[in-house]
Amino acid sequence: MQTAVVDIGNSFTKIYLFEDAIIEKAFNEDKSKRLVLTEFIDKDTPCIISATGNLDNRIDTEGLKNLLLFSQDSKLPISVNYETLHTLGLDRIANVVAVSGDDSNHLVIDIGTCVTF
């Protein structure tokens, strides 16, 4: 089953199309360009969007049937004890969720506009 993940960051919008947890296609678009997601994703494809800042002028999701906007209020498979959750970057939360499936130790390095460990 195909799934789409859209990361709207400070500098670029990245779109990844997964088939059974393997990236099949990737798109990297400049943040100044307003994207119409149905140009990249079939309207029936489940899609998760994570965004830095306001979505209004950056992306058009009209027509998508199975859309989840990832936020600090999303149900997560982890506990987050950060004192000010809404100031914790979604990229940092998503990175921890991505490696949370086992009991081993992980160091996640996120190299975006800001490098975080």
Side-chain angles (χ1 to χ4, degrees), residues 28-93:
N28 192 19
E29 301 291 332
D30 186 274
K31 77 171 190 173
S32 63
K33 181 181 178 185
R34 180 172 168 80
L35 298 179
V36 177
L37 279 183
T38 53
E39 292 177 3
F40 299 89
I41 302 167
D42 182 73
K43 65 182 179 176
D44 296 317
T45 299
C47 180
I48 301 170
I49 298 177
S50 175
T52 301
N54 192 338
L55 285 178
D56 292 343
N57 297 321
R58 299 180 65 185
I59 199 157
D60 179 350
T61 60
E62 189 171 339
L64 293 178
K65 295 181 179 180
N66 196 355
L67 182 65
L68 171 70
L69 183 58
F70 183 63
S71 75
Q72 287 88 347
D73 299 318
S74 295
K75 185 175 179 180
L76 301 172
I78 60 169
S79 295
V80 181
N81 297 320
Y82 199 76
E83 190 172 316
T84 54
L85 183 60
H86 286 279
T87 63
L88 180 61
L90 289 175
D91 54 343
R92 293 174 69 190
I93 297 170

